[in-house]
Amino acid sequence: MASSKKLIYKFCPMCSTEMVSKVSNDEASQVCPKCKFEFWNNPKPVASIIVHEAGKVLLLRRANEPLKGAWCLPGGFIQWGEEAAEAVIRECKEETGLVPDVCSVVGAYNIDNDPRGMHIDIIFEGKAKGSIVLSEEHDDYKFFEVNELPSVIAYKHREAIGDWRSGT
Ligand SMILES: [Zn+2]
């Protein structure tokens, strides 16, 4: 599986001056020598959900690159000003048509295997109502027994399902 690519700004996104690399206290950043804009390349927050029914977990198969063909939980990027729990409900509706009743957070996972960048995935669990209608982001879905998960699962979703299972 591809690992995360580090994002580098060659030019300042604020004033277009060439950026300079900086390391202080072992923390690497890029700084604009003109306007002092500093880019930290922090991980982006993502929210995902383990939708379960009778102990089985809903996974979706990615229809597009990156990670095309890999199975994953419903989820996506948290938007500006949005709570993680709001984001996971919105993304689950968009991707599956299901409305989840978010129960609790399973954990926060450092996603270092997504070629788009480094992410922190806040993973919830809950049940969901409705009938499944996939978006164009996925081409298949299935409720899997936890001991019969598919071999290729994206991100840290296999670990999260394991943690959820061992905590119940
Ligand atoms: Zn600048």
Side-chain angles (χ1 to χ4, degrees), residues 14 40 43 79 81 152 168:
M14 309 303 285
W40 290 98
Q79 294 180 347
V152 181
T168 53

Side-chain angles (χ1 to χ4, degrees), residues 94-163:
E94 285 174 11
E95 293 181 352
T96 70
L98 299 177
V99 180
D101 53 349
V102 173
C103 292
S104 59
V105 173
V106 174
Y109 297 82
N110 183 21
I111 308 301
D112 57 4
N113 54 9
D114 186 325
R116 292 168 293 186
M118 202 72 88
H119 305 139
I120 299 291
D121 196 354
I122 303 164
I123 300 187
F124 294 83
E125 59 86 16
K127 292 182 184 292
K129 288 193 281 286
S131 45
I132 294 181
V133 181
L134 293 180
S135 72
E136 73 284 357
E137 287 182 59
H138 304 99
D139 60 11
D140 199 6
Y141 71 90
K142 189 182 169 184
F143 279 90
F144 287 92
E145 297 282 358
V146 172
N147 58 5
E148 292 173 2
L149 294 175
S151 59
V152 181
I153 299 182
Y155 321 122
K156 298 272 177 69
H157 290 176
R158 184 187 304 280
E159 290 86 332
I161 293 166
D163 292 344

Side-chain angles (χ1 to χ4, degrees), residues 37-110:
F37 171 80
E38 189 161 13
F39 177 59
W40 290 98
N41 210 3
N42 295 321
K44 285 185 183 164
V46 172
S48 305
I49 183 164
I50 297 170
V51 173
H52 50 91
E53 199 58 62
K56 293 184 182 179
V57 171
L58 175 63
L59 291 174
L60 313 176
R61 192 172 65 188
R62 289 184 55 80
N64 305 303
E65 296 295 350
L67 308 168
K68 185 179 178 179
W71 293 82
C72 62
L73 299 169
F77 289 102
I78 299 172
Q79 294 180 347
W80 179 266
E82 192 177 45
E83 298 280 352
E86 293 170 347
V88 87
I89 291 168
R90 176 181 52 76
E91 288 284 350
C92 188
K93 276 192 218 167
E94 285 174 11
E95 293 181 352
T96 70
L98 299 177
V99 180
D101 53 349
V102 173
C103 292
S104 59
V105 173
V106 174
Y109 297 82
N110 183 21

